[in-house]
Amino acid sequence: MLRARHLPQATRHALHALLIYGSLCAVVGEWFPFTRVPMYAVLRNQARSQAAVPVVLVDGERADIRHYERFAGPDPADIEPWYRCRANGVCRSYPSSDGTDTFYAAWVRDHRARADDPPGPVRVDIGYLLLTARPDGRTYDEELEVVWSGTAWPVGR
Amino acid sequence: MVGDGVAGGPMTRRIAWTLIAFGGVLAVLSTVEKLPGAEVLGLHGVGAVVVEAARSAAGRAAITVATLALAARIVLTGGRSRAVLALFVLIFALAHVEAAADLPGTESVRHGKFLPGAILGVVALGRLLGRDDPDRGERRALGYAVGVAATLYGAAAVVKVATGGLDWSGNAGIGMLVYERSYAVPGAWSDLRRAFGTHPWLPAAGASVVMLVEALGVLLLVPRLRFAYAALATAMHVTIFVLLGYLYAEWWTCLWGLAFWTRAVERTSEG
């Protein structure tokens, strides 16, 4: 019968680490340096019928928000993801699978125009490209929903 | 760290530690721009000074320079100082905290930083437990690092099966995810991603292959198969990069580092 002591020493150490570290990960969960590595595991039982891609448009074209500063416009909290309600009381959430909307909100908040800044030369629209699955489950309808509009200056101008 | 008694050690060791240190440096450099929330500072008192330093450009530059200096020391001296390792692990842990705080719900971003940090930690543990015999300590450290890597890859497959069953790969969410990423990461691969995401069976087939490669992470336990698994996993990660835009460079550079390190240890044993 093969026993652990019959294994090469290097393999024995690796096996011990796998068993101990794996057990700790299963018990502790998501706390560095432990993890159950749940990447996309819930795609199966938490299927989405709609995806929301955060986008930044400058004068109608997709752009990198980091190239702009001195944003003038409404409260950037309107850009925040998760559950939000409009002024008319209509509430909805945005099923975005990445965190760039949080980054956009933080960027606008950290690069606001001062009170004495003139309006920027470019129009900035921040929102979500909504991808809704059609009945065949493989093709999608696309719709842009803007959640924040304002002006900004290119960095350095 | 690589060791007492192996100062100026063989080139394979230097290659190995270059790759592992590079993976860790990548993780830190890609994370220092993400600032933590107030609640994270409250929960993680240790390292608060470093975190505050990261708020300023000068502080971030200092952390970056220090991290690069640590990596350079590891490469040039064979990483003989445990203090270097401890500091590196600390920085890495803090980088993870920053990433977790700033991007809630983005599991894949957080986990991109895991492997080199966890490896560096168990390497330190292995060296500590084998401090009376440097060669045995090194083999122990390598074994622990490999065990952690095998656990992380294998767990990714296990959790998918536990969550969605053996046919986890056959869900429409995968195609939607790839299609979504075609817009989230605009560039050369956008058309390919849209074509892949709307294909009738490619998303399921691709996901099945990924699950298989993850499950084969247990092959890392066999020293002679580590180069082969590093190549297999790298191919998987490159494919994920093409389809989803996540490179996970930290993970596959560490796998190659472990493979080279295994070769170095075997040659030492043969000598």
Side-chain angles (χ1 to χ4, degrees), chain B residues 144-204:
Chain B
Y144 288 174
V146 167
V148 165
T151 302
L152 291 175
Y153 276 94
V158 169
V159 170
K160 290 182 175 70
V161 173
T163 304
L166 286 173
D167 62 343
W168 170 87
S169 58
N171 72 83
I174 297 172
M176 170 177 273
L177 181 65
V178 176
Y179 193 85
E180 177 186 22
R181 295 295 293 175
S182 74
Y183 287 101
V185 190
W189 305 108
S190 295
D191 290 339
L192 175 66
R193 288 171 186 149
R194 280 185 209 114
F196 185 95
T198 54
H199 197 276
W201 53 263
L202 273 180

Side-chain angles (χ1 to χ4, degrees), chain A residues 44-59:
Chain A
R44 179 66 172 176
N45 54 10
Q46 293 182 15
R48 295 181 297 167
S49 60
Q50 186 180 68
V53 180
V55 294
V56 173
L57 303 174
V58 173
D59 290 338

Side-chain angles (χ1 to χ4, degrees), chain A residues 87-109:
Chain A
N88 60 5
V90 175
C91 303
R92 62 172 300 174
S93 61
Y94 292 94
S96 172
S97 66
D98 73 20
T100 51
D101 38 12
T102 303
F103 175 73
Y104 294 159
W107 186 268
V108 172
R109 186 168 50 244

Side-chain angles (χ1 to χ4, degrees), chain A residues 1-7:
Chain A
M1 177 181 173
L2 181 66
R3 295 182 185 276
R5 63 173 183 269
H6 298 148
L7 296 171

